[in-house]
Amino acid sequence: LSAHCLIDDDLEELLPQLKELRCLNISGIFGDNYDPGYCLLTNRGLETIATHCPKLQSLDVSHQPKVTSGGIQVVLENCSDLLELEATDIRIPPHEVKGILQLSNSLLCFRYDPHVGGVRSHEKYLVEDAMIATGGRTVVASFYQGLYEISLRGANEK
């Protein structure tokens, strides 16, 4: 379903029939050539996913500019088997990443870039602290910056 013009209503019609769905890619279009009106998926669509796809293990909602951290949180709260989440170019402020990662005990990989260029250098510590809060279970990757590095040595002593 990636790069197709999906709207929330499409998901509401389609997903009730796909309760066993494990992998869903509904990413939008990357780059300067996209029309923001083209990507009509919102947090309402993510709420539909959370309601109808409880067995989801992999989700890509990258490049959906109307999706926010609130929609991501609803998915993580309701899809307890989610292992991989791609949310590149989604409006998730770095200071919210820790709370998002702590919502899931199963998430292993979170691909995240809040904007072109990735997380700003003075905010990288927020992403690193988020990974440490999961005990290193969740790896955070960036299209622009690769894998974030952390050291768990001494993390439990804090």
Side-chain angles (χ1 to χ4, degrees), residues 29-151:
I29 297 176
F30 170 76
D32 296 333
N33 297 332
Y34 84 96
D35 173 7
Y38 179 81
C39 300
L40 300 174
L41 192 68
T42 69
N43 286 346
R44 191 176 113 222
L46 269 64
E47 290 167 8
T48 301
I49 292 167
T51 300
H52 296 291
C53 302
K55 296 181 180 182
L56 201 62
Q57 294 180 342
S58 177
L59 176 63
D60 187 347
V61 294
S62 298
H63 312 296
Q64 293 286 359
K66 295 180 182 176
V67 168
T68 67
S69 58
I72 298 293
Q73 290 172 359
V74 170
V75 168
L76 287 171
E77 289 169 351
N78 292 282
C79 299
S80 60
D81 295 335
L82 197 65
L83 300 171
E84 177 185 23
L85 175 60
E86 293 200 33
T88 296
D89 200 22
I90 299 295
R91 292 181 309 225
I92 302 173
H95 69 271
E96 292 183 15
V97 172
K98 183 176 182 178
I100 287 171
L101 296 186
Q102 290 179 317
L103 288 172
S104 173
N105 290 324
S106 63
L107 192 65
L108 300 177
C109 181
F110 181 53
R111 186 164 175 164
Y112 164 71
D113 286 297
H115 44 72
V116 174
V119 175
R120 292 180 177 92
S121 60
H122 69 279
E123 295 176 313
K124 284 184 184 178
Y125 78 94
L126 295 166
V127 176
E128 294 161 356
D129 284 350
M131 290 171 50
I132 290 169
T134 71
R137 178 198 69 242
T138 304
V139 172
V140 178
S142 164
F143 176 79
Y144 300 100
Q145 298 165 333
L147 289 174
Y148 286 89
E149 289 185 42
I150 60 167
S151 173

Side-chain angles (χ1 to χ4, degrees), residues 1-3 6 21 23-28 58-62 86:
L1 299 176
S2 174
L6 287 177
L21 191 65
C23 181
L24 181 60
N25 183 337
I26 50 175
S27 60
S58 177
L59 176 63
D60 187 347
V61 294
S62 298
E86 293 200 33

